[in-house]
Amino acid sequence: MPPHLCGFHSRSWDTLLTRCSAELTGLPEAERNWLTARLQLIADYQCELDQLFQLARGPHACTSCHGQCCDCGRHHFTLTNLLGYLLQDLAPPRPDASRPCPFLGEQGCTLDAPFRPFNCVTFLCDEVEAGLNAADQQRFYQLEKRLRCVYEEIAARYPVASLRGLLIALERSDGQSLLKSAAGRE
Ligand code: SF4
Ligand code: SF4
């Protein structure tokens, strides 16, 4: 079984980073600009969602419940999240394959809010949701809709960026280029 099929292990992660960085370097300028604009939009939406999460005292609630929902986070991280780091020349945190979610650290999520998975930044459990007033809840779910559209736009162009998650998408990609457009580029 290829190493990426059973999780983000150290060697497969390094190989993925090298491969993804090389493909980004080789992108034509227009394609890079297309991607940069969408990743910026994602980062902006996610920062606002995170502000609402903080306003609802989400971090306090999550510490008390020991990050229960993160136990199901194994497949949340997508290629789009990785591209967010790499396109800004930032190093993503190293995944830990022994954790229920490979990005769950001792102090919570090791990913920065602009690059956290869609499923994570848009999830409000009942307790956290109750910490937002009606207007803020409405804004939260409006942002979720807009954010989903951008993720889906990227996934429609690059199938490996599927919201099903990077591990599953890599498994199904049969070694194809990460940034190969589904429709082909002009
Ligand atoms: S979002 Fe809710 S369920 Fe998830 S870790 Fe935080 S408090 Fe717990
Ligand atoms: S990526 Fe972060 S927020 Fe999402 S499940 Fe993993 S640890 Fe939790």
Side-chain angles (χ1 to χ4, degrees):
M1 180 183 280
H4 66 253
L5 297 188
C6 44
F8 291 127
H9 291 284
S10 194
R11 209 159 43 100
S12 62
W13 178 250
D14 289 337
T15 305
L16 177 64
L17 289 187
T18 305
R19 185 177 158 201
C20 196
S21 299
E23 289 196 31
L24 273 177
T25 303
L27 273 188
E29 192 182 346
E31 189 70 14
R32 193 179 177 90
N33 291 342
W34 183 92
L35 188 55
T36 302
R38 279 148 190 86
L39 291 176
Q40 185 58 54
L41 210 48
I42 286 177
D44 292 346
Y45 288 154
Q46 295 201 180
C47 284
E48 193 175 340
L49 282 166
D50 188 57
Q51 282 165 10
L52 290 168
F53 182 71
Q54 306 276 342
L55 184 70
R57 303 196 70 230
H60 176 77
C62 298
T63 304
S64 305
C65 102
H66 305 291
Q68 260 177 38
C69 62
C70 294
D71 284 352
C72 311
R74 184 171 142 81
H75 291 293
H76 290 341
F77 188 75
T78 63
L79 177 64
T80 301
N81 305 128
L82 180 58
L83 291 170
Y85 277 101
L86 298 183
L87 209 56
Q88 289 195 35
D89 285 328
L90 297 170
R94 287 193 81 78
D96 178 350
S98 70
R99 305 284 281 165
C101 166
F103 296 102
L104 182 58
E106 292 303 325
Q107 309 297 324
C109 186
T110 57
L111 296 165
D112 301 291
F115 315 120
R116 211 164 275 158
F118 172 82
N119 290 341
C120 307
V121 291
T122 57
F123 176 69
L124 284 182
C125 66
D126 291 345
E127 184 183 347
V128 180
E129 187 181 55
L132 291 177
N133 65 30
D136 287 335
Q137 284 182 21
Q138 198 181 11
R139 177 65 182 158
F140 190 96
Y141 291 115
Q142 182 185 57
L143 284 166
E144 177 190 10
K145 265 193 206 145
R146 292 182 186 174
L147 184 62
R148 178 185 286 279
C149 287
V150 190
Y151 271 96
E152 285 180 344
E153 200 184 355
I154 295 175
R157 197 166 183 95
Y158 311 126
V160 184
S162 159
L163 274 171
R164 280 184 300 230
L166 186 50
L167 283 170
I168 292 174
L170 282 172
E171 194 176 327
R172 295 181 179 177
S173 71
D174 204 18
Q176 77 177 46
S177 157
L178 301 171
L179 298 178
K180 183 174 177 356
S181 164
R185 293 183 205 119
E186 300 84 43

